[in-house]
Amino acid sequence: PDSDKPEEIKYDKVVLKKGTGDRCPAKGDRVSVFYTGMLEDGTVFDDNTEHKGRKPPTPLVFKVGTGRVIRGWDECLMTMVRGEKVKLTIKPEWAYGQRGNEAGGIPPNATLTFTVQLVDIA
């Protein structure tokens, strides 16, 4: 059966800026991330890199590999090093799939593109 084959990777990662060191986050590590999320037509649906009034941008902090974010993020972040910035394109299967995320402005079966920077690993 096909279960012996490794699962097809459902994201594409292009390094925009190299990070430092060689430590990638492991499952359960706490990561801090800046990101911008876009639909295929370039519409930004989420972003935490902009100043909110006088407040500086705040990174998103979560435990990686634990399903707190879409699978494409979990899988990709565990291949990144501190400071690395990537363009991440995620197929629907590892994003929001057939349901999409109506509240987040993401239609069903959407391929999503993110600019993601791994700020810190704890």
Side-chain angles (χ1 to χ4, degrees), residues 8-34:
E8 181 189 347
I9 292 174
K10 306 282 186 191
Y11 71 82
D12 180 57
K13 171 180 131 178
V14 177
V15 176
L16 302 175
K17 180 179 163 227
K18 285 189 186 302
T20 55
D22 55 10
R23 178 174 173 241
C24 295
K27 189 173 184 171
D29 282 349
R30 187 180 297 268
V31 294
S32 302
V33 179
F34 279 122

Side-chain angles (χ1 to χ4, degrees), residues 12-117:
D12 180 57
K13 171 180 131 178
V14 177
V15 176
L16 302 175
K17 180 179 163 227
K18 285 189 186 302
T20 55
D22 55 10
R23 178 174 173 241
C24 295
K27 189 173 184 171
D29 282 349
R30 187 180 297 268
V31 294
S32 302
V33 179
F34 279 122
Y35 66 91
T36 302
M38 288 163 286
L39 302 175
E40 286 179 282
D41 66 3
T43 303
V44 173
F45 62 82
D46 200 4
D47 180 18
N48 74 343
T49 64
E50 298 291 319
H51 283 264
K52 307 265 189 280
R54 294 186 175 180
K55 288 185 179 172
T58 308
L60 175 68
V61 179
F62 62 95
K63 285 186 176 178
V64 76
T66 60
R68 290 284 175 87
V69 292
I70 57 176
R71 181 164 176 196
W73 267 44
D74 270 342
E75 300 279 350
C76 181
L77 279 161
M78 291 189 285
T79 72
M80 294 173 66
V81 296
R82 180 182 281 117
E84 188 173 330
K85 186 174 187 178
V86 302
K87 179 181 176 186
L88 175 60
T89 305
I90 306 175
K91 292 183 181 176
E93 297 92 324
W94 282 13
Y96 292 95
Q98 294 178 342
R99 286 195 309 272
N101 181 338
E102 194 176 341
I106 299 163
N109 298 310
T111 295
L112 304 179
T113 301
F114 294 90
T115 304
V116 178
Q117 182 170 14

